[in-house]
Amino acid sequence: MIHVLTPVRVDSICIIQDDVNDWTAEAAKMSQVYSNAALTLSADGADDTSQGLFSDSSARTSAHDTQTITTSDPSGPPVQVYARLRSSRPSDPTTAPHSSLPTTPSKLSTRAWVLQERILSPRMVHFHKEELVWSCFGQERCECRYMAGTSSFGSFRRLLSPANAQEQSSEHNLLVEWPKLVEQFTSKGLTYSKDRLEALSGLATLAHEKTPNSRYLAGMWSTDLPYSLLWASDHAAAGETPVSRMPIVPYAPSWSWANVVGPIWHVDRHLDQFTNRRSGNDEVKPLLEIVQASADPVSTNVYGPVKAGVVVVRGQVLDVRYDFLWATWRPVMPDGRVLGVEAADRPKMEPKVIPDIIDEDPRFSVAARFPMLSSEFVFLRAATYIWDGIFSSGSTDVVALLLVKTPGEEMYQRRGIVLHAFDSKKVWEGIPTRMISIV
């Protein structure tokens, strides 16, 4: 017996296209739309919106090695049956779809909007060119194998499932997983950069129900802000489309990853921040004290763009000056001395600055050198870098945020993150702690 489920929702039809008000209102409802759906159908085999769920049969056939079996029918001519050969190569046996040929991610899966749809939907059927795939909170099942214990987007999806509704550790686990989710999200494409926060608002809405003690601040959670501030632009992953500033103002404060357009990453979180385990990977342990943090949304969607946002932090603040000759940063000590100008003062390891935007880095852009002459820059000591999750050394353990002072104001804007930002003993010992505002 077939039961027809109604109603059926198609986003491109149910949302009034080119209507900003309707789009804003509907975007805020995405968590309810997908989390309450009985079944979500995903056209992974389609190259664009002009194609449907079902791919051409020749594409499906060409994706697999097949064996032709000829059998006789007593009442008619011979019948040929085509059987698909099961193979775990070259496809990854733990992921779907499977093919006898190399597979590439579906066009749909590379889109940022789709990430929350796949995590929020309790049940999905993926119509790939190679095969159909069933996905739910507990498992994935394709036409050729059962993948026990696996699920798309793993732990974060399971954390949002009804089965974890009463789990006491859910809030802690969500905070740990959120930065990883942001990394996945920012690696995917958006037609309109203005959707950067809205396309994640459905997940944020549902996650907020499990993190009642935290506030959502332009893509981050207030209770995990010391770690979340340690994001870095992933210029290598950006490829031919460099990471850029969000062209819309206001949209997000400079301290938020949503202030840039492109992929971002985080150094692994030091597990001792929450537990006593060791991961064996290089990690960071946050040091900043968050005094105050706020983000005022532009619209009624509290998980969307913000018109103003500020983080007030307490930490060590070191004045720095750019050395044009050596193309690096030098510390300016409280007594006015600039270390590193003389060979004897130079550090064993120069600071590794990862700029938020390449065009704002004087090493790569001539235009970026002019602000270095007139603006005030500082390193804000933000974390300790721990090698292999076990030890650190004075010359490499300081992680800092590169900030520039806003002209005429006692506020700063973020410009990048810095690894091994000067020796923790030779330079940072004695540097006073200050309370500053970052916008």
Side-chain angles (χ1 to χ4, degrees):
M1 180 180 294
I2 298 177
H3 296 275
V4 178
L5 302 175
T6 58
V8 175
R9 175 189 171 94
V10 180
D11 279 348
S12 59
I13 298 175
C14 295
I15 300 177
I16 303 174
Q17 304 300 299
D18 301 321
D19 186 314
V20 176
N21 293 330
D22 186 69
W23 184 89
T24 301
E26 292 298 320
K29 301 176 184 176
M30 288 298 102
S31 65
Q32 296 302 313
V33 170
Y34 286 99
S35 62
N36 290 317
L39 180 67
T40 301
L41 304 181
S42 179
D44 287 83
D47 294 323
D48 53 49
T49 55
S50 67
Q51 299 178 9
L53 291 172
F54 303 100
S55 301
D56 185 275
S57 59
S58 61
R60 180 181 175 89
T61 302
S62 63
H64 305 292
D65 288 334
T66 57
Q67 180 72 45
T68 303
I69 303 173
T70 302
T71 184
S72 298
D73 184 345
S75 61
V79 177
Q80 287 187 323
V81 178
Y82 298 93
R84 169 182 168 183
L85 299 180
R86 176 174 176 175
S87 174
S88 63
R89 293 187 176 185
S91 295
D92 184 341
T94 62
T95 61
H98 299 103
S99 170
S100 299
L101 304 174
T103 59
T104 57
S106 69
K107 180 72 173 179
L108 194 62
S109 68
T110 65
R111 309 307 297 165
W113 272 104
V114 175
L115 180 68
Q116 66 176 2
E117 298 170 8
R118 297 193 167 191
I119 293 177
L120 292 172
S121 298
R123 305 163 202 85
M124 294 191 75
V125 176
H126 301 270
F127 290 76
H128 291 278
K129 291 180 179 179
E130 298 87 357
E131 61 181 356
L132 296 184
V133 176
W134 164 268
S135 174
C136 63
F137 286 134
Q139 66 176 6
E140 286 191 349
R141 179 72 165 90
C142 67
E143 294 178 31
C144 68
R145 58 172 53 83
Y146 166 70
M147 293 168 283
T150 64
S151 178
S152 295
F153 312 106
S155 54
F156 196 87
R157 191 179 191 193
R158 288 193 293 272
L159 286 170
L160 294 179
S161 70
N164 286 289
Q166 304 301 322
E167 187 178 328
Q168 293 183 352
S169 62
S170 289
E171 181 169 357
H172 150 73
N173 292 335
L174 279 168
L175 291 175
V176 171
E177 294 296 325
W178 184 262
K180 302 175 186 177
L181 180 76
V182 169
E183 291 176 5
Q184 284 190 63
F185 172 77
T186 59
S187 70
K188 299 180 182 297
L190 280 169
T191 302
Y192 304 105
S193 57
K194 66 178 179 61
D195 294 348
R196 195 157 170 85
L197 282 171
E198 285 96 332
L200 202 59
S201 62
L203 281 171
T205 302
L206 199 57
H208 206 174
E209 295 177 7
K210 297 208 172 193
T211 55
N213 299 317
S214 194
R215 290 175 294 121
Y216 191 71
L217 304 169
M220 302 175 178
W221 298 102
S222 60
T223 48
D224 195 35
L225 210 50
Y227 177 76
S228 297
L229 290 172
L230 302 176
W231 59 271
S233 293
D234 195 341
H235 299 293
E240 297 180 357
T241 305
V243 179
S244 60
R245 281 285 169 208
M246 174 60 67
I248 302 167
V249 179
Y251 191 85
S254 68
W255 44 265
S256 168
W257 55 265
N259 188 263
V260 301
V261 180
I264 65 104
W265 63 281
H266 303 80
V267 179
D268 283 350
R269 181 196 306 271
H270 184 53
L271 295 176
D272 261 358
Q273 185 183 352
F274 293 119
T275 72
N276 293 317
R277 293 173 295 145
R278 297 285 193 271
S279 72
N281 300 322
D282 292 348
E283 301 168 334
V284 290
K285 188 173 184 178
L287 295 175
L288 285 178
E289 176 189 350
I290 306 298
V291 179
Q292 179 185 344
S294 63
D296 301 322
V298 170
S299 68
T300 56
N301 182 6
V302 297
Y303 305 103
V306 302
K307 55 188 174 183
V310 62
V311 171
V312 181
V313 301
R314 183 179 284 111
Q316 287 182 287
V317 181
L318 175 67
D319 291 333
V320 293
R321 182 180 300 172
Y322 189 72
D323 186 334
F324 288 91
L325 179 62
W326 293 93
T328 190
W329 292 90
R330 302 296 184 199
V332 181
M333 305 307 288
D335 59 7
R337 290 179 300 121
V338 181
L339 300 184
V341 176
E342 302 297 330
D345 293 332
R346 288 182 195 132
K348 294 180 180 178
M349 189 174 294
E350 297 287 2
K352 180 181 179 180
V353 177
I354 305 174
D356 294 342
I357 307 299
I358 290 291
D359 287 346
E360 295 174 355
D361 192 306
R363 294 172 296 172
F364 310 110
S365 170
V366 174
R369 297 176 185 176
F370 295 103
M372 303 294 141
L373 301 173
S374 58
S375 300
E376 298 179 37
F377 290 85
V378 299
F379 281 4
L380 170 65
R381 190 173 183 178
T384 299
Y385 197 92
I386 303 175
W387 295 90
D388 296 330
I390 301 174
F391 68 94
S392 57
S393 64
S395 60
T396 61
D397 67 357
V398 177
V399 179
L401 298 181
L402 173 62
L403 308 176
V404 59
K405 191 173 183 182
T406 304
E409 299 182 33
E410 289 299 318
M411 294 186 176
Y412 292 82
Q413 293 183 346
R414 176 186 155 130
R415 286 295 179 266
I417 190 169
V418 191
L419 304 181
H420 36 83
F422 305 127
D423 194 284
S424 59
K425 294 183 174 61
K426 295 179 181 178
V427 175
W428 286 96
E429 207 166 76
I431 299 300
T433 296
R434 291 167 49 191
M435 189 166 65
I436 64 172
S437 298
I438 311 174
V439 295

